[in-house]
Every structure is written in structure tokens, then in C-alpha cells.
Amino acid sequence: EELPEGLSFGAMAASTDGRFYIFGGADQGILDQTSEAGIYELDLGNPREALRASRLSVDLPAISETATGRMGMTATALTDAGPLAGQILITGGAGRYMTQTSASSYSWAVDTQSTKQAFLFDPDAQTLTGLSSEMNLSRYGHVAVENHRGDVVIIGGFIDDSSTWSAFSNAYPEVFDPESQTFTQMGDLWTSGTAFHAAARLGKQGIMACGGVDFQMDAATECGLLSTDGVYSTVRAPGDPVLSPAMVAMADGRILMTGGLAMTDESLPYFETEYQATDSAWVFQGGAWIAVAPMKHARAWHNALALPDGRVLISGGVTGVEDPNSGIYLGAFYAHHSAIPCAEIFDPDTDTFSQVDDCDILSGTGSLPHPVMLQMGAVDPVHGAVLMGGISSSGEGSPSVMLYRPTPD
């Protein structure tokens, strides 16, 4: 039913035998000054009372003396990676996202202490091993997706000091090779989204990323595709530019992209303080994006998980951003006030959405125990989808643990 503490901005992955893991995170959302170092396990094969996740004895190593935990990293289950199959690759992260400069003021990209570090977590031995080969670039808030050959493609992520790079986010992707256990930085500049973006595997063609803003903070009007041979190309993004959509690879080989915050300007020197989410949905097939029926609820910062039966579970998110602090960056990050408790299912046979249970956004009641954004999620082929943590509408990390089974026992 719940985690020992509320967590957000952590990373989650599933083993192949009913075990789910959360790494790090923060219990006070984006403004938290002290992130967590714990690793939590939920074992559906041997469930504890009320399916409560428990903290393991091993922790994530400290980034520095002052950054003892981490948030904004990725956790990628290595399912096709030969000798490393079954292990979980953890990359990057930062001690915090924002630095508190006074009682009510926060600064972006000041002493966040991001890292190049990477680790392998072994679920069977419950050990965490640091890789001698680190990433080429420090990053947090990035995406990492395994391609069909077992390599892990890492795209974007924020950087510590924009004055050093004359940029907002990392413009060069890199690829982890499980055979050599090394990272290779790709030479082509990634001109599509590198922050507030999403990514998914496009069959054997490679990894596609869409949405967000590029390294110069301009709206991403194209999706980037990195082939398995390391060739970068672009394709026109669907619809208007959006921040923080969700993307997921489906069993039929297509990619589903949903929602996001509609951008009002394609060239932004700073983020606006108000955005509205969209209910738009698209599928990528035949080399182009095709619009399908809209979602039941507009949302961004939501989760999209491919279920074992081929359908897709959409959960949580926010309907828009209205920044009460009128901050340049807080509006884009700390948008918990309009979180929703709704979940819905996408059926790839009909390309339509159906709501899971009744949902009343105004009263905050629905399929989820409370309104929540940025939930962490993973799927087990037997047990179904597990959703953990996230940011509740109060702004605190959510302790909730939810299991969705596509079919009855």
C-alpha cells in the first residue's frame, strides 16, 4: 500500500520475477535540499503484509560530502544485454535540483552537484557495483532507454552551470555498451529536445525522443532518432510543441505519445509561468506521426506503461501549470497544485482510450489514492504494472504503492 516515506524524482525498474526497485529520490519534491540514498524493494513473488516496499541494506553512494543522496537519475533494466541481463543500470543524478538561497527563494543550477557516476545493481545478490567507466557528461533529468541490441541510449538531462556550456541541457547523447561496460559519446549534436522530453524504443530502428526544449531552451519541433548504428536523424514532431509528454513502445511496434504542456512560444528565453496540458495522443507508424482519439483527461508529467496484454496504462499528471510563486523555473517544475487522480487505458486495437474507474478532478477522487504527478512505474510480465511515489497535490512526495493487473487472477 505504501512506501516507508514519500518519494519523488527517484528512479524505478523491475526485475523479471516480480521484484520492483526504487532508487533514491526526495520526499519534498523539486525544492527538497536533501535527497535520499535508499534503495527500496517490492517483491510481488513473496509479498510482505499490504505489499509494503522495504528498504534494502545497500544505499546509493554519496555524490559528495554535502550531497549524500541523489535524485533525477535513471534506472534501466537490462533485459537483452547478454552477461548483464537481469541487472539494472543506474546513471547520473544530482544531490538536488534547486538551491535555496533564502527563506522563500530558490536558484536554478547552482551547486546541484550532478554526477557522471554509473552503477550496476544486481537484484539477486542485492549489490551495487560502481562502473570504472563513467558517463562522459554529468547529467540529471535525462532519459535512458535500452535498444533492441541491449545497448542503453542516454539522451539530454540538465547541466550544473549554464554559463560554462552556454546551454541549458546536455546536447550530446551517449550509449552504454554492456559488453565492454563503457559509455561512448555520440558526435552529432542532438538538436531536438534534451530537457522535459520523453523517449521510447522504435523497434529495431533505434531510440526516438520527442517533446521538451533543446539545449538552447528553444521548443523542440522535431523528434530525434538515434539508430542502433549511432546515426542521428530527425522527423517532424506531432502537433504543437509540448513540454513533458509521455512516450511508450507498444507490442505492435508502434510508439504512443500522449499529452504534455502546450507551449505558447517556440523560442523561450525563459519559461512561462502558466501552461495548459493537452489531451492529444499520437502513434508513430510508417515513418510518421498519426493523430488518434484524445485521452479522457488532458495531462502532462504523467506515466505511460505498456501492459503485458498490449494495452497502455496512463496515470496521474497535471492539467496545467499556474505558478503561485511567479518564479521563472518554479512554474515549469513545481506544478503539483493541478495534479489529478485519474487513470485510463489505451487500446491499440481501436486506438482509443477508456477511463479506469470514475474520476472527479475537482474532488480529487479517482483510480489513484490521491492526485499525483511524476509517478514512477514499471511492469512485470506476470504480475502487471506497479506505480510508486511521485508528487502529491500538496507538493510532498507520495508514499503510495499501486498494483494494476490487466486481467483477474
Side-chain angles (χ1 to χ4, degrees):
E1 294 285 339
E2 62 180 28
L3 291 160
E5 56 188 330
L7 288 176
S8 59
F9 292 98
M12 183 175 174
S15 182
T16 57
D17 55 0
R19 288 177 292 174
F20 296 80
Y21 297 92
I22 281 185
F23 302 88
D27 63 3
Q28 295 296 320
I30 195 65
L31 301 184
D32 204 329
Q33 298 296 290
T34 306
S35 52
E36 302 295 326
I39 301 175
Y40 297 86
E41 179 190 61
L42 175 66
D43 188 352
L44 296 183
N46 182 27
R48 298 167 178 82
E49 182 179 356
L51 296 179
R52 184 179 176 87
S54 62
R55 184 166 179 167
L56 302 181
S57 58
V58 60
D59 282 349
L60 295 165
I63 296 175
S64 67
E65 291 183 0
T66 57
T68 56
R70 67 185 65 201
M71 56 198 294
M73 62 284 193
T74 62
T76 308
L78 303 179
T79 58
D80 304 308
L84 297 182
Q87 298 197 49
I88 297 171
L89 174 68
I90 302 165
T91 63
R96 57 188 172 215
Y97 269 55
M98 308 188 78
T99 301
Q100 188 168 9
T101 55
S102 69
S104 59
S105 178
Y106 295 82
S107 294
W108 168 256
V110 178
D111 191 32
T112 57
Q113 300 188 34
S114 62
T115 180
K116 302 177 182 178
Q117 294 173 346
F119 303 90
L120 286 171
F121 176 75
D122 187 330
D124 292 332
Q126 295 194 346
T127 56
L128 190 69
T129 303
L131 293 174
S132 57
S133 173
E134 296 183 336
M135 292 190 297
N136 294 275
L137 298 170
S138 298
R139 56 181 88 216
Y140 60 106
H142 51 293
V143 296
V145 183
E146 186 186 48
N147 66 23
H148 82 280
R149 293 197 310 202
D151 299 332
V152 178
V153 178
I154 300 162
I155 301 170
F158 303 111
I159 56 180
D160 272 319
D161 186 358
S162 60
S163 64
T164 300
W165 290 77
S166 297
F168 174 68
S169 52
N170 283 304
Y172 292 95
E174 46 192 304
V175 177
F176 173 74
D177 180 351
E179 294 291 339
S180 62
Q181 298 187 26
T182 58
F183 294 87
T184 301
Q185 181 177 311
M186 299 292 99
D188 290 329
L189 190 72
W190 193 276
T191 57
S192 45
T194 50
F196 304 111
H197 55 312
R201 182 195 300 187
L202 182 61
K204 294 183 178 181
Q205 296 182 53
I207 304 301
M208 177 176 283
C210 302
V213 294
D214 65 17
F215 67 100
Q216 294 179 316
M217 293 179 65
D218 290 334
T221 58
E222 295 179 321
C223 298
L225 175 66
L226 188 69
S227 74
T228 51
D229 296 324
V231 177
Y232 173 66
S233 60
T234 60
V235 63
R236 179 69 186 181
D240 296 326
V242 291
L243 295 171
S244 303
M247 293 174 64
V248 61
M250 296 189 291
D252 61 11
R254 300 183 298 169
I255 290 177
L256 173 68
M257 178 173 167
T258 55
L261 298 170
M263 299 184 70
T264 57
D265 193 325
E266 291 189 5
S267 181
L268 298 178
Y270 299 101
F271 285 117
E272 303 288 345
T273 56
E274 291 188 9
Y275 292 104
Q276 294 301 313
T278 176
D279 60 2
S280 297
W282 307 77
V283 293
F284 190 82
Q285 63 182 55
W289 288 101
I290 300 172
V292 297
M295 293 185 291
K296 297 300 181 182
H297 298 281
R299 60 181 89 209
W301 280 304
H302 53 293
N303 207 320
L305 297 172
L307 299 171
D309 63 4
R311 299 180 299 162
V312 176
L313 173 66
I314 309 290
S315 68
V318 295
T319 57
V321 171
E322 293 183 6
D323 180 18
N325 298 312
S326 298
I328 293 176
Y329 292 107
L330 297 190
F333 277 121
Y334 204 49
H336 59 269
H337 303 286
S338 58
I340 61 176
C342 311
E344 52 191 288
I345 294 290
F346 177 76
D347 186 339
D349 292 333
T350 61
D351 285 351
T352 58
F353 293 86
S354 59
Q355 191 162 275
V356 179
D357 303 324
D358 294 332
C359 185
D360 187 336
I361 294 178
L362 292 179
S363 66
T365 58
S367 305
L368 310 180
H370 51 254
V372 64
M373 61 180 284
L374 288 170
Q375 281 183 301
M376 295 169 279
V379 176
D380 177 84
V382 175
H383 297 280
V386 169
L387 298 164
M388 295 192 197
I391 302 178
S392 69
S393 56
S394 67
E396 298 181 349
S398 169
S400 63
V401 177
M402 290 161 279
L403 170 65
Y404 180 84
R405 293 183 185 273
T407 57
D409 290 332

